[in-house]
Amino acid sequence: QVQLVESGGGVVQPGRSLRLSCVASGFTFSSHSMHWVRQAPGKGLEWVALISLDGGNKYYPDSVKGRFTISRDNSKNTLYLQMNSLRAEDTAIYYCARDLGFTYGRPFDLWGQGTMVTVSS
Amino acid sequence: DIQMTQSPSSLSASVGDRLTITCRATQSISTYLNWYQQKPGKAPKLLIYAASTLQGGVPSRFSGSGSGTDFTLTITSLQPEDFATYYCQQSYSTPYTFGQGTKLEIK
């Protein structure tokens, strides 16, 4: 069925790195821009990264720019988030989400179940 | 960056009530406004996009309106499954930003 499944979360020390993956199935992955969104415990939603259809364009908020890198492998239907120099404030559930497209105003119409990242010594 | 402010932050309501949640942007975002519902322990779910278009499968008791800087989400005849947290989000320009959320609780 149509779904996104994240993996790669865990407990990591401050300053270390972690890579998250998101495997897409049931739809044409290469036809959609993709996002990462995070949610700190008990807090609201924060957009983390956007990658275009072919991976040629990437966007980040200032809070992660220079530390996080979004990428994709369309041959494997997989989205990635490389997170370096992790901080305690990066602790959150990380969701991957599908972009419905510019024609529709770019809402996030499909979400994964999320993977928890805890940054702690 | 465009800031999104929702009101109220929380509210209590009863089954069958009609309620409205508002969302305001710090600059015009045309109709690039989306609404999501999130239940505890679950991923957000898209309810409405482009300010007023109902996502497929979403009950018609949900509706959205607005353009520019002011938007509303209305739920008519609240059902038990509607008690959740609701977020607005602008997709006009990066960084895409969300409102702080409105937690809807049972009275």
Side-chain angles (χ1 to χ4, degrees), chain A residues 27-116:
Chain A
F27 65 96
T28 305
F29 180 68
S30 59
S31 295
H32 292 268
S33 295
M34 296 293 296
H35 302 265
W36 287 98
V37 177
R38 69 184 179 184
Q39 186 170 36
K43 302 298 184 181
L45 301 168
E46 181 187 15
W47 172 77
V48 170
L50 158 65
I51 189 167
S52 59
L53 306 181
D54 62 358
N57 293 293
K58 305 174 184 181
Y59 304 87
Y60 310 90
D62 288 345
S63 59
V64 307
K65 195 176 296 181
R67 300 188 300 122
F68 289 11
T69 301
I70 189 172
S71 62
R72 66 191 298 164
D73 185 337
N74 286 343
S75 68
K76 296 182 178 179
N77 291 341
T78 303
L79 176 73
Y80 302 100
L81 185 68
Q82 177 68 42
M83 304 185 294
N84 297 333
S85 303
L86 282 162
R87 306 167 180 168
E89 55 264 37
D90 296 319
T91 294
I93 298 172
Y94 284 74
Y95 297 100
C96 60
R98 184 178 75 176
D99 189 312
L100 185 56
F102 187 81
T103 302
Y104 304 97
R106 313 204 70 162
F108 303 171
D109 74 318
L110 178 67
W111 296 64
Q113 85 288 351
T115 188
M116 183 71 203

